[in-house]
């Protein structure tokens, strides 16, 4: 934005903040209820939210500090009765719900938090390391192969609309997640037709859901009809024709055209792109619970107390970075980038993508390998105060000395000694961060040595 590239071809729209073209791909399931679920803590801090409660109860940790550490976002008075005992994992976003693997926090802490729960329910289609800790597993339709739906994708600067046909029939008693929600809502006294207005009977559920999808697609058709553009019919769309949104534009889509090209104001207090938060600069707003901007919209990721963050972005010395005192014991900086062979943790269990085509190894430079007596393909122990992983080494000059890489998404697989032989980088991540405002870093400090034990 400072350089003037916002809203130009190839420069946006920025991922996750849009806007995209604004094409409606869904319609409301039902009439919204009046109850709003309080936003208690940041999801990546859930284990700390459970484990640190005891320290608050005995007075060892002040409530203010607790809320800062876990990114508390609700009314502070709710902490008095906060006592989580049940965990429900719905698996709706299949690629991101294996949190022992995908969270930037050690599974050692997360498992300790799981063991505090009285009851854990998972609704999933894959027996992941996380699901294995459940008391009850509800078999749900696989979102990739079994579920039907309409999806819009805008990753990578292009946008298209596809139909998910459900290429295989779900086996046995597998149900759609929506069907399970309807049954839960019914038990809570909410009639299914209130939660999902298309519902008639259990026997007609598939037909009811198709009516819902048809109405969703009608909204897409109407959007393009207003632009005098004809899109595939419902029958053509469900048979495999998809909508490439880019081909209908005379010029590359850039986003924020009204603001960048027509001079209309942004939805900010000044009407401009803002780099300084007047809201955070006003100390009277700190500690209020949920925070709202000048237009009444909630600040999604701003906790009750934002700790030492200022109203404008500024450099802070990173925790567990190369300036941290921990570097004396753990002198290597670990990066955990995503792998081209996985979508988060999905496809890890395919042998071609874990052995024949790509072998999961820790990358380290020849200089770091030589000083540790490590050769290419040696089994090594990568560890810090958060955990230990056991895996082969990949000695390569493609990485600079002092830096190592373990790809994100490997499945957490502990041996009898608690060492992770699946070698998930999450096992090494997390720590004592000063604020729950932003997700914990996907980097940390580690040490590597040649492994002397046996894998089990």
């Amino acid at each position: 934005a400072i350089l003037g590239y916002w809203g130009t071809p190839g420069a946006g729209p920025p991922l996750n903040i849009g806007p995209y073209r604004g094409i409606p791909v869904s319609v409301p399931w039902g009439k919204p209820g009046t109850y709003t679920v309080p936003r208690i803590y940041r999801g990546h801090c859930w284990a700390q939210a459970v484990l640190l409660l005891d320290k608050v109860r005995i007075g060892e940790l002040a409530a203010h500090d607790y809320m800062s550490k876990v990114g508390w976002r609700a009314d502070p008075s709710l902490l008095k009765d906060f006592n989580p005992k049940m965990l429900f994992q719905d698996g709706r976003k299949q690629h991101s719900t294996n949190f022992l693997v995908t969270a930037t926090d050690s599974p050692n802490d997360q498992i300790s938090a799981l063991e505090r729960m009285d009851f854990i329910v998972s609704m999933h289609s894959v027996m992941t390391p996380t699901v294995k800790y459940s008391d009850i597993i509800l078999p749900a339709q696989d979102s990739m192969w079994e579920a039907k739906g309409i999806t819009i994708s805008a990753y990578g600067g292009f946008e298209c609309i596809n139909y998910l046909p459900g290429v295989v029939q779900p086996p046995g008693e597998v149900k759609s997640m929506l069907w399970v929600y309807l049954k839960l809502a019914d038990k809570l006294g909410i009639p299914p037709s209130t939660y999902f207005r298309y519902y008639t009977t259990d026997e007609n559920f598939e037909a009811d859901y198709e009516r819902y999808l048809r109405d969703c697609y009608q909204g897409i058709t109407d959007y393009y009809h207003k632009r005098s553009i004809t899109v595939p019919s419902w029958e053509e769309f469900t048979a495999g024709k998809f909508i490439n949104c880019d081909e209908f534009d005379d010029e590359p889509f850039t986003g924020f055209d009204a603001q960048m090209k027509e001079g209309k104001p942004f939805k900010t207090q000044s009407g401009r792109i803002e780099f300084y938060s007047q809201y955070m600069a006003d100390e009277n707003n700190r500690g209020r619970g949920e925070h709202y901007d000048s237009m009444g919209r909630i600040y999604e990721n701003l906790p009750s107390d934002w700790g030492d963050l200022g109203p404008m972005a500024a450099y802070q010395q990173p925790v567990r970075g190369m300036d941290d005192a921990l570097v004396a014991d753990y002198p290597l900086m670990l990066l955990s980038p995503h792998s081209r062979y996985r979508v988060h943790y999905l496809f890890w269990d395919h042998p071609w993508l874990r052995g024949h085509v790509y072998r999961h190894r820790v990358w380290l430079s020849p200089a770091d390998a030589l000083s540790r007596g490590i050769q290419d393909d040696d089994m090594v122990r990568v560890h810090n105060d958060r955990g230990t992983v056991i895996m082969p080494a990949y000695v390569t000059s493609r990485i600079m000395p002092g830096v190592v890489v373990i790809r994100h998404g490997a499945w957490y697989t502990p041996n009898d000694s608690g060492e992770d032989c699946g070698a998930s980088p999450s096992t090494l991540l997390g720590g004592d961060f000063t604020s729950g405002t932003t997700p914990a870093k996907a980097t940390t400090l580690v040490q590597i040595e040649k492994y002397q034990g046996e894998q089990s």
Side-chain angles (χ1 to χ4, degrees), residues 129 348 410-415 418-424 427 456:
W348 167 260
W411 285 25
Y412 172 70
T413 312
N415 62 16
E419 300 165 322
D420 179 10
C421 295
S424 169
T427 301
S456 60

Side-chain angles (χ1 to χ4, degrees), residues 99-230:
F99 55 81
L100 289 183
V101 168
T102 58
T104 51
D105 185 42
S106 173
N108 294 322
D109 276 358
Q110 297 188 71
I111 291 169
S112 296
L114 286 169
E115 291 173 344
R116 298 285 188 95
M117 299 293 102
D118 290 341
F119 189 50
I120 301 173
V121 180
S122 289
M123 185 160 57
H124 217 290
S125 61
V126 179
M127 183 61 76
T128 68
T130 308
V131 170
K132 288 181 179 179
Y133 284 87
S134 304
D135 295 294
I136 291 178
I137 302 169
L138 302 176
Q141 283 184 0
D142 188 276
S143 60
M144 186 180 301
W145 306 112
E146 297 168 351
K148 294 182 179 180
I150 298 173
T151 181
I152 186 167
S153 174
Y155 281 10
F158 61 89
E159 197 166 359
C160 60
I161 303 172
N162 300 277
Y163 179 68
L164 307 178
V167 295
V168 295
Q169 286 296 316
E173 296 180 290
V174 170
K175 299 291 186 182
S176 75
M177 294 187 184
L178 173 58
W179 189 91
V180 175
Y181 291 142
L182 292 180
K183 299 292 104 177
L184 290 173
D186 193 29
K187 291 295 184 181
L188 292 170
I190 304 171
S193 58
T194 300
Y195 185 85
F196 184 55
R197 60 190 173 95
Y198 292 85
Y199 174 87
T200 56
T201 65
D202 282 357
E203 292 74 20
N204 291 330
F205 178 76
E206 293 300 325
D208 295 339
Y209 188 67
E210 180 160 329
R211 286 192 297 117
Y212 161 73
L213 292 179
R214 280 178 174 267
D215 281 0
C216 293
Y217 192 67
Q218 187 60 51
I220 297 169
T221 302
D222 293 343
Y223 170 88
Y224 277 110
H225 179 73
K226 292 176 182 177
R227 301 178 62 195
S228 300
I229 294 172
T230 301

Side-chain angles (χ1 to χ4, degrees), residues 1 82 255 281 309 378:
F82 181 56
L309 291 182
D378 280 350

Side-chain angles (χ1 to χ4, degrees), residues 344-361:
H344 293 284
Y345 72 92
L346 292 180
F347 310 124
W348 167 260
D349 50 352
H350 196 302
W352 287 7
L353 304 183
R354 199 174 72 246
H356 302 307
V357 176
Y358 165 75
R359 189 177 182 193
H360 187 59
R361 298 187 286 178

Side-chain angles (χ1 to χ4, degrees), residues 242-298:
F242 68 94
I243 298 174
N244 181 345
C245 307
D246 295 333
E247 69 183 9
F248 297 134
D249 293 330
D250 295 328
E251 298 177 356
F253 178 73
T254 54
F256 298 105
D257 285 359
Q259 291 81 14
M260 303 305 297
K261 298 177 182 178
E262 301 171 25
K264 293 183 179 180
F266 283 88
K267 292 181 179 180
T268 62
Q269 189 168 357
S270 66
R272 297 173 177 268
I273 297 173
E274 297 181 355
F275 302 97
Y276 184 90
S277 173
Q278 296 286 352
Y279 188 91
M280 292 177 65
D282 185 350
E283 284 297 315
N284 293 321
N285 294 324
R286 190 188 291 268
R288 283 189 172 184
E290 292 183 338
H291 302 287
Y292 296 86
D293 68 8
S294 59
M295 298 185 177
R297 299 169 301 178
I298 191 169

Side-chain angles (χ1 to χ4, degrees), residues 225-449:
H225 179 73
K226 292 176 182 177
R227 301 178 62 195
S228 300
I229 294 172
T230 301
V231 296
S233 66
W234 171 252
E235 290 72 23
E236 292 173 326
F237 181 65
T238 56
K241 283 193 175 182
F242 68 94
I243 298 174
N244 181 345
C245 307
D246 295 333
E247 69 183 9
F248 297 134
D249 293 330
D250 295 328
E251 298 177 356
F253 178 73
T254 54
F256 298 105
D257 285 359
Q259 291 81 14
M260 303 305 297
K261 298 177 182 178
E262 301 171 25
K264 293 183 179 180
F266 283 88
K267 292 181 179 180
T268 62
Q269 189 168 357
S270 66
R272 297 173 177 268
I273 297 173
E274 297 181 355
F275 302 97
Y276 184 90
S277 173
Q278 296 286 352
Y279 188 91
M280 292 177 65
D282 185 350
E283 284 297 315
N284 293 321
N285 294 324
R286 190 188 291 268
R288 283 189 172 184
E290 292 183 338
H291 302 287
Y292 296 86
D293 68 8
S294 59
M295 298 185 177
R297 299 169 301 178
I298 191 169
Y299 284 116
E300 291 284 354
N301 297 322
L302 189 63
S304 173
D305 187 331
W306 47 84
D308 57 1
L309 291 182
M312 188 168 67
Y315 175 79
Q316 293 182 338
Q317 182 171 309
V319 179
R320 294 178 179 263
M322 296 306 290
D323 295 328
D324 196 305
L326 281 172
V327 77
D329 296 317
Y330 310 112
L332 300 171
M333 171 62 76
L334 170 70
L335 308 181
S336 58
H338 286 228
S339 168
R340 70 173 66 186
Y341 301 103
R342 292 188 292 277
V343 181
H344 293 284
Y345 72 92
L346 292 180
F347 310 124
W348 167 260
D349 50 352
H350 196 302
W352 287 7
L353 304 183
R354 199 174 72 246
H356 302 307
V357 176
Y358 165 75
R359 189 177 182 193
H360 187 59
R361 298 187 286 178
V362 56
W363 294 32
L364 73 164
S365 72
D368 290 325
L370 181 64
S371 65
R372 291 165 174 80
I374 294 171
Q375 296 184 5
D376 191 51
D377 249 4
D378 280 350
M379 295 300 296
V380 297
R381 178 175 178 262
V382 187
H383 65 98
N384 60 15
D385 59 327
R386 304 291 292 162
T388 299
V389 303
I390 307 299
M391 64 193 311
Y394 173 42
V395 180
T396 174
S397 58
R398 295 165 67 192
I399 192 166
M400 66 184 291
V403 180
V404 297
V405 161
I406 302 177
R407 303 283 175 179
H408 167 84
W411 285 25
Y412 172 70
T413 312
N415 62 16
D416 294 340
S417 301
E419 300 165 322
D420 179 10
C421 295
S424 169
S426 291
T427 301
L428 304 160
L429 297 177
D432 297 325
F433 296 95
T434 57
S435 173
T437 305
T438 54
K441 296 189 306 173
T443 62
T444 192
L445 295 173
V446 299
Q447 178 60 288
I448 299 181
E449 58 194 29

